[in-house]
Amino acid sequence: MNKNDYKNMWVYIEHDGKTAAPVGLELCCEVRKLCDRTGDRLYAVVIGALPETELEKVKACGVDGFILVSGTGYDFFNTDAWANAFTVLSRKYNPSAIFVGGTVDGRDFAPRFAVQLETGCTSDAMELDWDPETGDIQFIEPAVGGKIMAVITVPVLRPQVGTIRPGTFPYAPVGAKERVEVIEERIDFDPAAIRCHPVGFIPDENDPELDIAHADCIVCVGNGLKDGEHLERYRTLARLLGGKLGCTRPLYDRGILPYKLQIGQSGVMVKPKLYISFGVSGAVNHTAGVDAGLFIAVDKNPNAQIFNYCDYGIVGDMDEVCDELIARLRAGDGKLI
Ligand SMILES: Cc1cc2nc3c(=O)[nH]c(=O)nc-3n(C[C@H](O)[C@H](O)[C@H](O)COP(=O)(O)OP(=O)(O)OC[C@H]3O[C@@H](n4cnc5c(N)ncnc54)[C@H](O)[C@@H]3O)c2cc1C
């Protein structure tokens, strides 16, 4: 395989027929920057119909072109037709890299078409870079329990496939190009060959307390928490601050809080204005998921890693500090600092 035969980068635009999922737009913005360095063109790949207004949003991220796929087999998301579409397209156009949102669907079909193309697929990178010497994309992510940042490349094979978790990159559109190419492809997939069919749809219970990705304030509780009975004070603090509760992975593992509240590399990525952590040691797997305007950390260990990340650190017992903050908020004018 000659790497030079593979050019341009693709971003998959996930959608529900009405709206483009934010992750595709975020990826277009980030991959635009990579393409500006490599000289590649950026194409957005859309499977099935998407309203013009949504395509305009994609254009605003600076794409050079669209690849619009129609045909049979796309009435509902299924990994067979989606993986086939990318395999067929990739064999025809030889892209250098394909980026897919790390959603439930993206994590399903991206590794499958990577296997069909006999290439490499990485998941959950927190940073993307490019090595001009080798021409390889660098997928950078925490590894070995967060002790190191691993740089993963696909050095020999093409295309380089990666799934990236929603919220990893900011949505910062650079504006539409004057000319945007549109390639229309018809790729039929036999519906009889689809191995998974939806048997019903039960919407997720829409508990707004569990939607922390866009919360302005988060009170994050870590493994320092003794047990579930000690949790209520942190809920109270979050309520007083007009914020929401979040947690580290051990709290989910211990069955104290649901997975949707887990913040970090394998959980939710958050960008609050205020983030207060209690009993969180500061593993990079967790902190990589936090982009806070103001970061306050409370931990009893003065040498805890978390104090390297925060703007203000409080060394003390987490329950005592939480109670004190609640008392001050109740006694004062509702301001913490
Ligand atoms: C591939 C991979 C992905 C991962 N993804 C995630 C992820 O998405 N999110 C995530 O959170 N983790 C993730 N992890 C786990 C991560 O590496 C850490 O193990 C985890 O973040 C540690 O959580 P913690 O800080 O709450 O617990 P600990 O590391 O156990 O820290 C507890 C802290 O509480 C303090 N403490 C104890 N008692 C008190 C007290 N009374 N008062 C004050 N402080 C106290 C201690 O000093 C300590 O600093 C991942 C790991 C791997 C390998």
Side-chain angles (χ1 to χ4, degrees), residues 102-298:
T103 61
V104 172
D105 294 351
R107 291 163 79 90
D108 189 357
F109 82 88
R112 287 176 197 264
F113 74 74
V115 166
Q116 288 171 11
L117 294 167
E118 297 185 353
T119 186
C121 177
T122 71
S123 57
D124 289 347
M126 316 293 302
E127 282 174 59
L128 295 174
D129 205 346
W130 173 66
D131 181 347
E133 298 241 318
T134 59
D136 298 333
I137 289 168
Q138 299 181 326
F139 298 85
I140 302 165
E141 59 186 75
V144 196
K147 289 188 179 64
I148 59 165
M149 293 301 279
V151 178
I152 301 169
T153 59
V154 184
V156 180
L157 303 168
R158 290 292 183 269
Q160 306 157 93
V161 180
T163 61
I164 314 281
R165 203 164 272 270
T168 301
F169 298 119
Y171 170 59
V174 289
K177 298 246 168 187
E178 225 168 84
R179 291 189 56 202
V180 177
E181 184 184 356
V182 177
I183 299 170
E184 295 192 17
E185 285 286 346
R186 184 171 177 104
I187 304 171
D188 289 320
F189 189 80
D190 180 4
I194 297 172
R195 291 170 298 171
C196 290
H197 290 257
V199 289
F201 180 70
I202 303 170
D204 209 0
E205 276 178 38
N206 187 20
D207 181 348
E209 285 308 306
L210 299 186
D211 178 14
I212 58 171
H214 304 104
D216 275 345
C217 168
I218 292 177
V219 172
C220 179
V221 187
N223 203 22
L225 188 81
K226 285 186 198 78
D227 52 46
E229 285 176 14
H230 286 75
L231 198 59
E232 201 44 41
R233 51 166 60 78
Y234 300 97
R235 283 194 200 286
T236 304
L237 180 63
R239 217 167 24 241
L240 284 171
L241 290 167
K244 292 182 178 172
L245 202 63
C247 69
T248 57
R249 183 151 125 182
L251 282 228
Y252 165 63
D253 291 342
R254 287 164 61 190
I256 294 176
L257 284 169
Y259 171 69
K260 282 192 167 186
L261 295 187
Q262 179 188 314
I263 294 162
Q265 183 195 7
S266 55
V268 190
M269 315 289 282
V270 295
K271 297 180 176 67
K273 289 182 185 144
L274 174 64
Y275 190 82
I276 313 183
S277 69
F278 290 89
V280 174
S281 61
V284 70
N285 308 100
H286 174 73
T287 54
V290 185
D291 177 8
L294 183 67
F295 194 142
I296 301 174
V298 182

